Amino acid sequence: MKHVKFIGFIFFLFSLTESLALPTKPQDVDPFYATQKFIEENTVYLTIIAVAQYVQEVSFDEVETLVKVMMDYRDGCLANWTLPECSKRANEAIQDMICSSEGLPQRHNISHCCSKVDFARRLCFFYNKKAKTGFLPPFPTLDPEEKCQAYKNNNGSFLNLYMYEVARRNPFVFSPVLLTVAARFEEAATTCCEQQEKATCFQDKAAPITQYLKASSSYQGTVCGALIKFGPKVLNSINTAVFSKKFPKIGFKDLTSLLEDVSTMYELCCEGDVVQCIQGQSQVMNHICSKQDFISSKIKECCEKKMPERGDCIINTNKEDKPEDLSPREPKFTDSQNVCQERDSNQDGLLIEFTHEYSRRHNYLSTPELLRVTKVYKDLLEDCCSRENAAGCYRHAEDKFNETTEKSLAMVQQECKLFQELEKDALKLHYLVKFTKAAPQLSLEELVYLSNGMMEVLTTCCTLSEEFACVDDLADLVLGDLCGVNENRTINPAVDLCCRADFAFRRHCFEHLEADTTYVLPSVSALISALHSDWCQAHNEDLQNKKHRFMVNLVKWMPEITAEECMCLFTKFTAAGEKCDEVQEPETCFHPEGSNIDNESGAANRNDKIPEVNISISVKCPNLL
Ligand SMILES: *[C@@H]1O[C@H](CO)[C@@H](O)[C@H](O)[C@H]1NC(C)=O
Ligand SMILES: *[C@@H]1O[C@H](CO)[C@@H](O)[C@H](O)[C@H]1NC(C)=O
Ligand SMILES: *[C@@H]1O[C@H](CO)[C@@H](O)[C@H](O)[C@H]1NC(C)=O
Ligand SMILES: *[C@@H]1O[C@H](CO)[C@@H](O)[C@H](O)[C@H]1NC(C)=O
Ligand SMILES: *[C@@H]1O[C@H](CO)[C@@H](O)[C@H](O)[C@H]1NC(C)=O
Ligand SMILES: *[C@@H]1O[C@H](CO)[C@@H](O)[C@H](O)[C@H]1NC(C)=O
Ligand SMILES: *[C@@H]1O[C@H](CO)[C@@H](O)[C@H](O)[C@H]1NC(C)=O
C-alpha cells in the first residue's frame, strides 16, 4: 500500500477549521467543518472501531479504558490545539495509545508492531487483522427483555458494547458503515423496547441491518483485497467501471479528477484509518455533490442529507440514464488509425479511457465483466500492434468482447438453471462438493460459509431482470472472501493461482479448477475407517452439520466417488445414528457382490483420473438430508 496522500488532514484541526469557516457562513454548511464536527462527536465510536478492528482479541474493559484516554486527549487538544501531541493523526494517536497501554501489547501479541515506527507500524497493524474470526466467541445474543433493560439502564455503554462486538468481527469494513449500523441498531432498540413483541420486532429490524453490514463488508473486503494483491491500477480500473456505469453522463476529465479522491479514500479506509476514512468519503461525496450538473440528476435529495446518510444515499441511488447522444460504439478505440501510437505513449491512460467508454455504454454488465473486456482489448492490442496491418486487426475487437461476455453469460445462465432446478439442500450440497473438490484444505466452516454465500447470491439474483450483473458481481465477492484481504493465502497451488493471477478472470479461473487430490485417501478401507472415526467423535453438533461434514469428508477423501457409492455410505451411516458400532458393512457399498473386500487396487486406480464435478453426486445424495 502506498503512503497515504492526505497530508492536509489531521484529527483535531479545530482552529484551522474555524479559520476556514468564514464568519458570515453558517458553520454547518461548510463540508469540511461539518465532517470535523461529526468526527469529534463520534470520537468514542471511532476509537472503539479502530481498537477492536486492529486488536480483535481485546476485551471490552480494555477498550473502555482506551476510550477514556482518547477522550481526555481530544478534550486536551480542543482546549489547546498547539500542544505538541495534538499534531498527530488520529490513527497514529490510537496506535500510540494501544502500544502504551500497560501490558496490552503483550497480552494480545501486538508488541512486534509497537516496536516499529511510521509506515511499518501502520502496515503491521493492518496485517494483524484476521478475517476469519472463529477464535472469537459467537456473537453474544441477549434475551430481548435483558437487552432492553441494559439499553434503558445505560444506553451509551450498551451501544458501545454492541459497536465493539460488531467491529471486532468485521475487521475490514469501513468506519462509515459501522457508524450507520450503530445508528440503525439504536433506532431499532428504541422502537422495539417500547413494544410488546420485542423479539419479533428485533428480528424484523435486525435482518436488513445484518444484510447491509455483510454486503458492505464483503464488497469493501474484495476491493481492498484487489488493492493489496494487484495494486492501485486495478483499484482504479474497478472504480472507473463502477462510476462510469452509475454515472454515464460524466466526462472522462471529470471522472479522472473524481477518481483521484476515490482512490485516496480507498487507500485510507483499506488501511484501517477510521478517521481519515470518514474524511476521505466525505471528500468524495462533496466532490460528487458539487458537480451534480455534470454527474447525475438523481442525487439532489441525497446531497441535501448530512453525514453519514449522504454517502449511503448516493451509493444506493439508481443508475443515471445514459445520455441520449451517446453512440452505441466509441470508434476511437477500434476504428482509428493511431490506436497503437496512443498505446505506446500511454497504455494505462488508453485502457482506463476505454473502460470508461465501454462501461458507460454497457452499464448492464457486471464490474468484473467490464474489466474482462478491458483485458481482452489490452491483449488484442498487444497482438495487433506487432502486426503489419494493425488497424485491420483490431477493427474486429467487438467480436472478441462479445465472445468473452457470452462465455460469462453462459456461466451465469447455468448457475441460475441449477438454482431453478435443484432443491435448496441439493443446491447447497452441490456447492459444498464443488468448493471441497477445489479446496479440500479449507475447514468445514469455511466451506459451508462459501456455499451459503453462493446460495444467497443465486437466491438474490436469479429472478431479477439484471440477473447477469447481479450474479457475476456478487459471486465475485464470494471469491473475494475466499482469496482474503490482507494476506496471500496458501490453500493449494491451483486456488492460490486463481486468487493471484488476474482479478477480472477470477470467476472463470475457479470455474475451470479441477479437483485437488492432496487429501485423497489411498484406499477404500482407509476411507471407511476415517469416516468411521470422524462420525464417532463427539463433535457436539446438530445432525445437519454432522451430515455436511460427512459429505465434505467423503469428497475430500475420495473426490471421484460415484453417486451410488455416496448414497449407500450415507444411508448406512445415518441409519446407525449416533450408535457407531452399528454401521452395517460399509465396505459393501464399493463391492455390491460382497467380494474382494480387501482388494484396494480398484479404489486406488480410480484416483488416477479425476472427473469433472458430477452434479448427480450432489443431487442424489443430499435428497436424503
Ligand atoms: C497551549 O500550549 C502551548 C504549548 O504547550 C503553551 O505554550 C500555551 O501556553 C498553551 N496555551 C494555553 C491557553 O494554555
Ligand atoms: C504473535 O504474532 C506473531 C506475528 O504475527 C506470530 O508469528 C506468532 O505466532 C503470534 N503468537 C501467538 C501466541 O499468537
Ligand atoms: C441515552 O438516552 C438519553 C435519554 O433518552 C439520550 O438523551 C442520550 O442521547 C442517549 N445516549 C446515547 C449515547 O444514545
Ligand atoms: C455485440 O453484442 C451487442 C449486444 O448484444 C450487439 O449489439 C452487437 O451487435 C454485437 N457486436 C458484434 C460485432 O457482434
Ligand atoms: C502478496 O503478494 C503481493 C503480490 O505478489 C505482494 O505485493 C504482497 O506483499 C504480498 N502480501 C503479503 C502479506 O505477503
Ligand atoms: C455422473 O454420475 C452418474 C452416476 O454415477 C452417471 O450415470 C453419469 O453419467 C455421470 N455424469 C457425468 C457427466 O459424468
Ligand atoms: C482387484 O481388483 C482389480 C481391479 O478391479 C482386479 O483387476 C484384480 O483382479 C483384483 N484382485 C484380486 C486379488 O481380486
Side-chain angles (χ1 to χ4, degrees):
M1 203 180 310
K2 270 197 312 192
H3 275 268
V4 158
K5 288 183 287 192
F6 249 47
I7 304 302
F9 285 118
I10 46 176
F11 196 0
F12 301 117
L13 280 171
F14 201 65
S15 68
L16 175 56
T17 21
E18 275 180 336
S19 66
L20 282 178
L22 301 172
T24 50
K25 197 167 162 187
Q27 288 186 321
D28 58 354
V29 177
D30 181 80
F32 187 85
Y33 180 86
T35 309
Q36 193 60 29
K37 196 153 171 291
F38 178 79
I39 288 167
E40 280 162 21
E41 284 166 357
N42 284 281
T43 309
V44 172
Y45 275 160
L46 289 171
T47 309
I48 295 173
I49 295 171
V51 173
Q53 285 190 326
Y54 281 138
V55 192
Q56 292 152 279
E57 301 86 346
V58 75
S59 72
F60 186 58
D61 285 348
E62 289 169 322
V63 172
E64 284 195 306
T65 309
L66 288 172
V67 166
K68 283 202 196 85
V69 177
M70 195 65 189
M71 292 305 279
D72 288 347
Y73 172 77
R74 184 197 73 165
D75 293 344
C77 291
L78 287 179
N80 185 354
W81 65 277
T82 58
L83 291 170
E85 66 265 29
C86 299
S87 61
K88 279 186 220 175
R89 284 166 189 235
N91 196 40
E92 190 188 351
I94 291 170
Q95 292 181 352
D96 280 349
M97 259 169 248
I98 292 173
C99 287
S100 55
S101 174
E102 179 80 39
L104 193 148
Q106 294 75 25
R107 269 198 301 284
H108 304 305
N109 194 19
I110 191 99
S111 314
H112 62 291
C113 293
C114 292
S115 61
K116 298 190 164 79
V117 293
D118 298 337
F119 184 60
R121 188 173 74 168
R122 284 169 24 217
L123 214 54
C124 183
F125 268 93
F126 169 71
Y127 284 130
N128 192 56
K129 293 185 176 190
K130 299 157 200 80
K132 304 278 167 292
T133 55
F135 62 95
L136 295 176
F139 196 93
T141 47
L142 279 180
D143 169 80
E145 295 293 345
E146 280 178 66
K147 219 186 286 191
C148 290
Q149 200 55 48
Y151 180 58
K152 228 170 82 189
N153 288 348
N154 191 344
N155 57 358
S157 182
F158 175 75
L159 293 169
N160 291 349
L161 178 63
Y162 175 77
M163 188 83 278
Y164 156 79
E165 298 288 8
V166 173
R168 68 205 292 238
R169 287 177 180 79
N170 295 278
F172 295 105
V173 80
F174 297 173
S175 50
V177 172
L178 287 176
L179 292 179
T180 303
V181 165
R184 291 195 193 162
F185 179 73
E186 185 179 355
E187 202 182 283
T190 314
T191 314
C192 294
C193 288
E194 281 173 4
Q195 294 189 1
Q196 283 293 322
E197 299 291 324
K198 295 186 176 56
T200 327
C201 177
F202 269 114
Q203 260 167 25
D204 292 349
K205 298 241 179 230
I209 303 178
T210 311
Q211 174 66 26
Y212 165 75
L213 175 64
K214 270 181 69 178
S216 311
S217 178
S218 198
Y219 180 75
Q220 293 168 352
T222 297
V223 177
C224 292
L227 171 63
I228 305 300
K229 288 191 175 62
F230 302 98
K233 266 193 222 169
V234 167
L235 175 69
N236 197 39
S237 57
I238 293 171
N239 286 322
T240 303
V242 169
F243 280 80
S244 306
K245 262 198 287 183
K246 192 170 175 76
F247 302 130
K249 248 167 67 174
I250 197 172
F252 186 59
K253 276 227 176 66
D254 284 329
L255 177 72
T256 309
S257 124
L258 174 60
L259 287 185
E260 276 175 27
D261 283 352
V262 174
S263 291
T264 305
M265 175 193 83
Y266 269 100
E267 281 168 17
L268 295 166
C269 297
C270 289
E271 182 189 319
D273 188 326
V274 296
V275 169
Q276 297 212 60
C277 177
I278 292 192
Q279 277 160 334
Q281 195 191 62
S282 159
Q283 174 115 336
V284 169
M285 298 308 162
N286 291 339
H287 193 139
I288 293 174
C289 288
S290 70
K291 289 193 189 162
Q292 285 181 57
D293 293 347
F294 308 103
I295 297 183
S296 173
S297 58
K298 300 201 168 165
I299 51 174
K300 197 164 184 313
E301 279 175 21
C302 292
C303 287
E304 282 161 9
K305 291 188 196 288
K306 284 208 222 151
M307 303 201 27
E309 291 88 20
R310 183 155 87 153
D312 274 319
C313 181
I314 294 177
I315 290 166
N316 293 321
T317 321
N318 286 337
K319 283 188 280 222
E320 171 74 1
D321 307 317
K322 273 193 250 181
E324 288 186 358
D325 57 355
L326 196 62
S327 64
R329 255 174 82 222
E330 171 52 63
K332 169 173 175 179
F333 299 101
T334 49
D335 301 357
S336 145
Q337 287 298 319
N338 38 19
V339 174
C340 291
Q341 266 169 313
E342 259 202 65
R343 169 181 172 270
D344 290 342
S345 68
N346 179 7
Q347 172 166 272
D348 291 342
L350 180 72
L351 291 177
I352 282 294
E353 195 176 348
F354 172 80
T355 307
H356 164 61
E357 295 294 352
Y358 199 85
S359 304
R360 66 206 291 232
R361 287 170 170 77
H362 300 84
N363 58 1
Y364 52 88
L365 291 178
S366 66
T367 304
E369 186 56 33
L370 294 166
L371 303 187
R372 286 174 208 134
V373 169
T374 305
K375 172 79 160 57
V376 166
Y377 183 57
K378 175 174 182 257
D379 291 348
L380 182 72
L381 288 189
E382 199 163 301
D383 177 33
C384 292
C385 291
S386 65
R387 291 176 188 233
E388 198 73 6
N389 177 12
C393 170
Y394 57 68
R395 184 170 315 126
H396 303 294
E398 204 181 336
D399 290 339
K400 292 254 189 302
F401 303 158
N402 283 8
E403 225 172 82
T404 312
T405 303
E406 271 150 28
K407 270 192 207 138
S408 307
L409 276 172
M411 205 160 107
V412 167
Q413 275 160 5
Q414 176 66 22
E415 286 164 324
C416 281
K417 187 156 164 265
L418 270 184
F419 171 76
Q420 312 291 2
E421 285 174 2
L422 295 188
E423 295 195 16
K424 209 165 155 257
D425 275 340
L427 187 65
K428 173 141 176 196
L429 260 293
H430 168 75
Y431 280 107
L432 255 186
V433 168
K434 202 171 153 130
F435 281 119
T436 308
K437 286 201 170 200
Q441 296 80 0
L442 296 180
S443 68
L444 175 69
E445 289 70 32
E446 189 169 0
L447 291 164
V448 168
Y449 179 82
L450 296 168
S451 308
N452 286 343
M454 278 309 295
M455 300 270 294
E456 274 167 36
V457 169
L458 301 184
T459 311
T460 309
C461 301
C462 282
T463 50
L464 297 182
S465 58
E466 295 217 340
E467 168 185 294
F468 169 69
C470 181
V471 172
D472 203 43
D473 273 327
L474 296 186
D476 211 47
L477 304 185
V478 176
L479 299 181
D481 273 339
L482 172 60
C483 291
V485 181
N486 61 345
E487 55 182 341
N488 297 319
R489 296 187 71 181
T490 45
I491 297 168
N492 66 50
V495 169
D496 299 349
L497 189 64
C498 283
C499 284
R500 217 179 37 223
D502 189 309
F503 180 72
F505 281 93
R506 259 187 194 168
R507 289 240 301 143
H508 291 244
C509 183
F510 273 95
E511 194 59 23
H512 295 112
L513 275 186
E514 306 226 323
D516 181 88
T517 52
T518 325
Y519 267 51
V520 171
L521 288 173
S523 69
V524 165
S525 59
L527 171 75
I528 288 168
S529 141
L531 285 175
H532 208 283
S533 61
D534 184 76
W535 187 262
C536 295
Q537 256 178 41
H539 284 285
N540 273 338
E541 60 192 350
D542 64 23
L543 194 60
Q544 172 87 344
N545 201 18
K546 197 172 177 121
K547 288 173 176 177
H548 284 159
R549 205 185 56 245
F550 183 82
M551 280 298 299
V552 163
N553 282 335
L554 259 184
V555 176
K556 267 185 193 179
W557 292 333
M558 192 167 278
E560 79 291 14
I561 192 165
T562 68
E564 286 74 17
E565 289 164 344
C566 168
M567 186 155 70
C568 173
L569 277 178
F570 190 81
T571 314
K572 283 177 189 282
F573 271 88
T574 47
E578 303 288 324
K579 295 185 289 289
C580 291
D581 39 350
E582 289 184 13
V583 183
Q584 298 289 329
E585 300 184 89
E587 300 84 356
T588 55
C589 287
F590 295 91
H591 302 276
E593 291 81 35
S595 59
N596 281 346
I597 286 172
D598 295 327
N599 186 344
E600 294 180 353
S601 65
N605 284 342
R606 282 187 304 163
N607 290 347
D608 297 344
K609 192 168 87 6
I610 306 302
E612 297 271 300
V613 174
N614 187 336
I615 290 166
S616 66
I617 293 177
S618 51
V619 175
K620 288 191 190 153
C621 247
N623 281 346
L624 302 165
L625 291 184

